[in-house]
PDB file of all heavy atoms in Angstrom:
ATOM      1  N   LEU A 350      52.139  47.300 -37.903  1.00 85.00           N
ATOM      2  CA  LEU A 350      52.630  46.869 -39.170  1.00 85.00           C
ATOM      3  C   LEU A 350      51.648  47.182 -40.216  1.00 85.00           C
ATOM      4  O   LEU A 350      52.076  47.647 -41.462  1.00 85.00           O
ATOM      5  CB  LEU A 350      52.985  45.395 -39.073  1.00 85.00           C
ATOM      6  CG  LEU A 350      53.650  44.775 -40.239  1.00 85.00           C
ATOM      7  CD1 LEU A 350      54.912  45.457 -40.591  1.00 85.00           C
ATOM      8  CD2 LEU A 350      53.794  43.250 -40.148  1.00 85.00           C
ATOM      9  N   GLY A 351      50.448  46.989 -39.952  1.00 82.00           N
ATOM     10  CA  GLY A 351      49.375  47.246 -40.992  1.00 82.00           C
ATOM     11  C   GLY A 351      49.255  48.754 -41.386  1.00 82.00           C
ATOM     12  O   GLY A 351      49.216  49.064 -42.644  1.00 82.00           O
ATOM     13  N   HIS A 352      49.250  49.561 -40.344  1.00 80.00           N
ATOM     14  CA  HIS A 352      49.311  51.005 -40.644  1.00 80.00           C
ATOM     15  C   HIS A 352      50.500  51.455 -41.371  1.00 80.00           C
ATOM     16  O   HIS A 352      50.504  52.319 -42.268  1.00 80.00           O
ATOM     17  CB  HIS A 352      49.101  51.803 -39.310  1.00 80.00           C
ATOM     18  CG  HIS A 352      47.703  51.981 -38.843  1.00 80.00           C
ATOM     19  ND1 HIS A 352      46.787  52.732 -39.431  1.00 80.00           N
ATOM     20  CD2 HIS A 352      47.059  51.180 -37.850  1.00 80.00           C
ATOM     21  CE1 HIS A 352      45.550  52.629 -38.812  1.00 80.00           C
ATOM     22  NE2 HIS A 352      45.709  51.717 -37.882  1.00 80.00           N
ATOM     23  N   ALA A 353      51.695  50.850 -40.990  1.00 83.00           N
ATOM     24  CA  ALA A 353      52.921  51.216 -41.641  1.00 83.00           C
ATOM     25  C   ALA A 353      52.893  50.884 -43.146  1.00 83.00           C
ATOM     26  O   ALA A 353      53.321  51.582 -43.963  1.00 83.00           O
ATOM     27  CB  ALA A 353      54.078  50.582 -40.931  1.00 83.00           C
ATOM     28  N   ALA A 354      52.333  49.723 -43.357  1.00 81.00           N
ATOM     29  CA  ALA A 354      52.285  49.188 -44.779  1.00 81.00           C
ATOM     30  C   ALA A 354      51.315  50.102 -45.551  1.00 81.00           C
ATOM     31  O   ALA A 354      51.614  50.411 -46.724  1.00 81.00           O
ATOM     32  CB  ALA A 354      51.739  47.813 -44.761  1.00 81.00           C
ATOM     33  N   THR A 355      50.248  50.537 -45.007  1.00 80.00           N
ATOM     34  CA  THR A 355      49.387  51.468 -45.698  1.00 80.00           C
ATOM     35  C   THR A 355      49.997  52.781 -45.975  1.00 80.00           C
ATOM     36  O   THR A 355      49.936  53.341 -47.100  1.00 80.00           O
ATOM     37  CB  THR A 355      48.104  51.695 -44.852  1.00 80.00           C
ATOM     38  OG1 THR A 355      47.418  50.502 -44.586  1.00 80.00           O
ATOM     39  CG2 THR A 355      47.082  52.657 -45.537  1.00 80.00           C
ATOM     40  N   SER A 356      50.707  53.261 -44.968  1.00 76.00           N
ATOM     41  CA  SER A 356      51.459  54.595 -45.106  1.00 76.00           C
ATOM     42  C   SER A 356      52.543  54.456 -46.220  1.00 76.00           C
ATOM     43  O   SER A 356      52.706  55.312 -47.113  1.00 76.00           O
ATOM     44  CB  SER A 356      52.077  55.054 -43.843  1.00 76.00           C
ATOM     45  OG  SER A 356      52.753  56.203 -44.000  1.00 76.00           O
ATOM     46  N   LEU A 357      53.275  53.349 -46.160  1.00 78.00           N
ATOM     47  CA  LEU A 357      54.268  53.102 -47.092  1.00 78.00           C
ATOM     48  C   LEU A 357      53.747  52.912 -48.521  1.00 78.00           C
ATOM     49  O   LEU A 357      54.467  53.281 -49.492  1.00 78.00           O
ATOM     50  CB  LEU A 357      55.087  51.873 -46.704  1.00 78.00           C
ATOM     51  CG  LEU A 357      56.441  51.701 -47.336  1.00 78.00           C
ATOM     52  CD1 LEU A 357      57.378  52.984 -47.133  1.00 78.00           C
ATOM     53  CD2 LEU A 357      57.163  50.584 -46.696  1.00 78.00           C
ATOM     54  N   ALA A 358      52.581  52.159 -48.592  1.00 76.00           N
ATOM     55  CA  ALA A 358      51.952  52.022 -49.993  1.00 76.00           C
ATOM     56  C   ALA A 358      51.658  53.400 -50.583  1.00 76.00           C
ATOM     57  O   ALA A 358      51.942  53.516 -51.836  1.00 76.00           O
ATOM     58  CB  ALA A 358      50.695  51.105 -49.844  1.00 76.00           C
ATOM     59  N   LEU A 359      51.155  54.283 -49.832  1.00 72.00           N
ATOM     60  CA  LEU A 359      50.853  55.573 -50.304  1.00 72.00           C
ATOM     61  C   LEU A 359      52.198  56.303 -50.779  1.00 72.00           C
ATOM     62  O   LEU A 359      52.263  57.012 -51.787  1.00 72.00           O
ATOM     63  CB  LEU A 359      50.089  56.522 -49.269  1.00 72.00           C
ATOM     64  CG  LEU A 359      48.734  55.961 -48.919  1.00 72.00           C
ATOM     65  CD1 LEU A 359      48.214  56.795 -47.758  1.00 72.00           C
ATOM     66  CD2 LEU A 359      47.771  55.992 -50.119  1.00 72.00           C
ATOM     67  N   GLU A 360      53.205  56.193 -49.904  1.00 69.00           N
ATOM     68  CA  GLU A 360      54.456  56.890 -50.232  1.00 69.00           C
ATOM     69  C   GLU A 360      55.077  56.310 -51.476  1.00 69.00           C
ATOM     70  O   GLU A 360      55.465  57.062 -52.333  1.00 69.00           O
ATOM     71  CB  GLU A 360      55.455  56.645 -49.010  1.00 69.00           C
ATOM     72  CG  GLU A 360      56.836  57.198 -49.185  1.00 69.00           C
ATOM     73  CD  GLU A 360      56.848  58.739 -49.163  1.00 69.00           C
ATOM     74  OE1 GLU A 360      55.800  59.365 -48.726  1.00 69.00           O
ATOM     75  OE2 GLU A 360      57.850  59.339 -49.525  1.00 69.00           O
ATOM     76  N   LEU A 361      55.068  54.931 -51.577  1.00 72.00           N
ATOM     77  CA  LEU A 361      55.701  54.357 -52.847  1.00 72.00           C
ATOM     78  C   LEU A 361      54.945  54.625 -54.111  1.00 72.00           C
ATOM     79  O   LEU A 361      55.496  54.742 -55.135  1.00 72.00           O
ATOM     80  CB  LEU A 361      55.906  52.873 -52.562  1.00 72.00           C
ATOM     81  CG  LEU A 361      56.935  52.403 -51.469  1.00 72.00           C
ATOM     82  CD1 LEU A 361      57.077  50.946 -51.482  1.00 72.00           C
ATOM     83  CD2 LEU A 361      58.248  53.120 -51.743  1.00 72.00           C
ATOM     84  N   THR A 362      53.614  54.686 -53.931  1.00 73.00           N
ATOM     85  CA  THR A 362      52.797  54.937 -55.086  1.00 73.00           C
ATOM     86  C   THR A 362      53.072  56.450 -55.558  1.00 73.00           C
ATOM     87  O   THR A 362      53.190  56.653 -56.688  1.00 73.00           O
ATOM     88  CB  THR A 362      51.285  54.798 -54.684  1.00 73.00           C
ATOM     89  OG1 THR A 362      50.952  53.500 -54.255  1.00 73.00           O
ATOM     90  CG2 THR A 362      50.428  55.202 -55.900  1.00 73.00           C
ATOM     91  N   HIS A 363      53.219  57.332 -54.570  1.00 64.00           N
ATOM     92  CA  HIS A 363      53.517  58.732 -54.877  1.00 64.00           C
ATOM     93  C   HIS A 363      54.827  58.765 -55.632  1.00 64.00           C
ATOM     94  O   HIS A 363      54.974  59.458 -56.631  1.00 64.00           O
ATOM     95  CB  HIS A 363      53.505  59.551 -53.680  1.00 64.00           C
ATOM     96  CG  HIS A 363      53.922  61.014 -53.835  1.00 64.00           C
ATOM     97  ND1 HIS A 363      53.169  61.901 -54.660  1.00 64.00           N
ATOM     98  CD2 HIS A 363      54.971  61.617 -53.499  1.00 64.00           C
ATOM     99  CE1 HIS A 363      53.768  63.013 -54.663  1.00 64.00           C
ATOM    100  NE2 HIS A 363      54.906  62.963 -54.004  1.00 64.00           N
ATOM    101  N   LEU A 364      55.889  58.080 -55.002  1.00 64.00           N
ATOM    102  CA  LEU A 364      57.153  58.165 -55.582  1.00 64.00           C
ATOM    103  C   LEU A 364      57.186  57.479 -57.015  1.00 64.00           C
ATOM    104  O   LEU A 364      57.922  58.016 -57.886  1.00 64.00           O
ATOM    105  CB  LEU A 364      58.161  57.411 -54.715  1.00 64.00           C
ATOM    106  CG  LEU A 364      58.492  58.049 -53.354  1.00 64.00           C
ATOM    107  CD1 LEU A 364      59.366  57.124 -52.494  1.00 64.00           C
ATOM    108  CD2 LEU A 364      59.030  59.436 -53.589  1.00 64.00           C
ATOM    109  N   ARG A 365      56.339  56.433 -57.097  1.00 66.00           N
ATOM    110  CA  ARG A 365      56.373  55.734 -58.431  1.00 66.00           C
ATOM    111  C   ARG A 365      55.730  56.643 -59.468  1.00 66.00           C
ATOM    112  O   ARG A 365      56.260  56.717 -60.590  1.00 66.00           O
ATOM    113  CB  ARG A 365      55.597  54.424 -58.327  1.00 66.00           C
ATOM    114  CG  ARG A 365      55.535  53.713 -59.664  1.00 66.00           C
ATOM    115  CD  ARG A 365      55.041  52.332 -59.417  1.00 66.00           C
ATOM    116  NE  ARG A 365      54.991  51.617 -60.618  1.00 66.00           N
ATOM    117  CZ  ARG A 365      54.769  50.268 -60.777  1.00 66.00           C
ATOM    118  NH1 ARG A 365      54.492  49.634 -59.712  1.00 66.00           N
ATOM    119  NH2 ARG A 365      54.795  49.668 -61.867  1.00 66.00           N
ATOM    120  N   ASN A 366      54.729  57.312 -59.056  1.00 71.00           N
ATOM    121  CA  ASN A 366      54.118  58.259 -59.982  1.00 71.00           C
ATOM    122  C   ASN A 366      55.076  59.383 -60.473  1.00 71.00           C
ATOM    123  O   ASN A 366      55.087  59.742 -61.685  1.00 71.00           O
ATOM    124  CB  ASN A 366      52.830  58.958 -59.376  1.00 71.00           C
ATOM    125  CG  ASN A 366      51.663  57.878 -59.296  1.00 71.00           C
ATOM    126  OD1 ASN A 366      51.610  56.844 -59.968  1.00 71.00           O
ATOM    127  ND2 ASN A 366      50.738  58.096 -58.372  1.00 71.00           N
ATOM    128  N   LEU A 367      55.723  59.989 -59.412  1.00 68.00           N
ATOM    129  CA  LEU A 367      56.724  60.860 -59.759  1.00 68.00           C
ATOM    130  C   LEU A 367      57.832  60.342 -60.712  1.00 68.00           C
ATOM    131  O   LEU A 367      58.194  61.056 -61.681  1.00 68.00           O
ATOM    132  CB  LEU A 367      57.360  61.503 -58.480  1.00 68.00           C
ATOM    133  CG  LEU A 367      56.536  62.320 -57.647  1.00 68.00           C
ATOM    134  CD1 LEU A 367      57.300  62.763 -56.371  1.00 68.00           C
ATOM    135  CD2 LEU A 367      55.997  63.586 -58.397  1.00 68.00           C
ATOM    136  N   ALA A 368      58.249  59.137 -60.469  1.00 64.00           N
ATOM    137  CA  ALA A 368      59.271  58.534 -61.252  1.00 64.00           C
ATOM    138  C   ALA A 368      58.802  58.305 -62.602  1.00 64.00           C
ATOM    139  O   ALA A 368      59.559  58.552 -63.575  1.00 64.00           O
ATOM    140  CB  ALA A 368      59.702  57.212 -60.592  1.00 64.00           C
ATOM    141  N   GLU A 369      57.511  57.886 -62.798  1.00 69.00           N
ATOM    142  CA  GLU A 369      57.084  57.667 -64.168  1.00 69.00           C
ATOM    143  C   GLU A 369      56.921  58.968 -64.907  1.00 69.00           C
ATOM    144  O   GLU A 369      57.212  58.983 -66.110  1.00 69.00           O
ATOM    145  CB  GLU A 369      55.652  56.981 -64.053  1.00 69.00           C
ATOM    146  CG  GLU A 369      55.743  55.569 -63.556  1.00 69.00           C
ATOM    147  CD  GLU A 369      54.379  54.937 -63.355  1.00 69.00           C
ATOM    148  OE1 GLU A 369      53.317  55.646 -63.485  1.00 69.00           O
ATOM    149  OE2 GLU A 369      54.265  53.647 -63.224  1.00 69.00           O
ATOM    150  N   VAL A 370      56.501  60.065 -64.178  1.00 77.00           N
ATOM    151  CA  VAL A 370      56.454  61.353 -64.892  1.00 77.00           C
ATOM    152  C   VAL A 370      57.812  61.783 -65.270  1.00 77.00           C
ATOM    153  O   VAL A 370      58.073  62.232 -66.371  1.00 77.00           O
ATOM    154  CB  VAL A 370      55.734  62.396 -63.966  1.00 77.00           C
ATOM    155  CG1 VAL A 370      55.910  63.780 -64.608  1.00 77.00           C
ATOM    156  CG2 VAL A 370      54.314  62.052 -63.755  1.00 77.00           C
ATOM    157  N   GLU A 371      58.770  61.608 -64.407  1.00 72.00           N
ATOM    158  CA  GLU A 371      60.153  61.986 -64.662  1.00 72.00           C
ATOM    159  C   GLU A 371      60.724  61.231 -65.837  1.00 72.00           C
ATOM    160  O   GLU A 371      61.423  61.692 -66.677  1.00 72.00           O
ATOM    161  CB  GLU A 371      61.011  61.927 -63.401  1.00 72.00           C
ATOM    162  CG  GLU A 371      62.427  62.330 -63.608  1.00 72.00           C
ATOM    163  CD  GLU A 371      63.358  62.161 -62.394  1.00 72.00           C
ATOM    164  OE1 GLU A 371      62.780  61.851 -61.337  1.00 72.00           O
ATOM    165  OE2 GLU A 371      64.578  62.364 -62.495  1.00 72.00           O
ATOM    166  N   LEU A 372      60.450  59.895 -65.741  1.00 75.00           N
ATOM    167  CA  LEU A 372      60.924  59.009 -66.789  1.00 75.00           C
ATOM    168  C   LEU A 372      60.429  59.413 -68.101  1.00 75.00           C
ATOM    169  O   LEU A 372      61.152  59.392 -69.193  1.00 75.00           O
ATOM    170  CB  LEU A 372      60.562  57.529 -66.420  1.00 75.00           C
ATOM    171  CG  LEU A 372      61.010  56.406 -67.469  1.00 75.00           C
ATOM    172  CD1 LEU A 372      62.570  56.444 -67.580  1.00 75.00           C
ATOM    173  CD2 LEU A 372      60.521  55.130 -67.101  1.00 75.00           C
ATOM    174  N   ARG A 373      59.099  59.743 -68.090  1.00 83.00           N
ATOM    175  CA  ARG A 373      58.554  60.159 -69.383  1.00 83.00           C
ATOM    176  C   ARG A 373      59.178  61.428 -69.961  1.00 83.00           C
ATOM    177  O   ARG A 373      59.448  61.560 -71.141  1.00 83.00           O
ATOM    178  CB  ARG A 373      56.991  60.337 -69.255  1.00 83.00           C
ATOM    179  CG  ARG A 373      56.258  60.869 -70.461  1.00 83.00           C
ATOM    180  CD  ARG A 373      54.774  60.832 -70.262  1.00 83.00           C
ATOM    181  NE  ARG A 373      54.442  61.637 -69.118  1.00 83.00           N
ATOM    182  CZ  ARG A 373      54.292  62.991 -69.103  1.00 83.00           C
ATOM    183  NH1 ARG A 373      54.548  63.703 -70.281  1.00 83.00           N
ATOM    184  NH2 ARG A 373      53.917  63.596 -68.023  1.00 83.00           N
ATOM    185  N   LEU A 374      59.413  62.332 -69.050  1.00 85.00           N
ATOM    186  CA  LEU A 374      59.925  63.684 -69.444  1.00 85.00           C
ATOM    187  C   LEU A 374      61.491  63.417 -69.941  1.00 85.00           C
ATOM    188  O   LEU A 374      61.856  63.989 -70.931  1.00 85.00           O
ATOM    189  CB  LEU A 374      59.998  64.625 -68.281  1.00 85.00           C
ATOM    190  CG  LEU A 374      58.566  65.125 -67.892  1.00 85.00           C
ATOM    191  CD1 LEU A 374      58.727  66.058 -66.626  1.00 85.00           C
ATOM    192  CD2 LEU A 374      57.908  65.911 -69.014  1.00 85.00           C
TER     193      LEU A 374
END
Side-chain angles (χ1 to χ4, degrees):
L350 184 60
H352 276 285
T355 301
S356 178
L357 197 53
L359 296 175
E360 178 72 12
L361 292 185
T362 300
H363 176 65
L364 292 176
R365 181 169 183 173
N366 291 338
L367 289 178
E369 288 177 350
V370 171
E371 181 181 354
L372 179 61
R373 178 174 54 81
L374 294 175

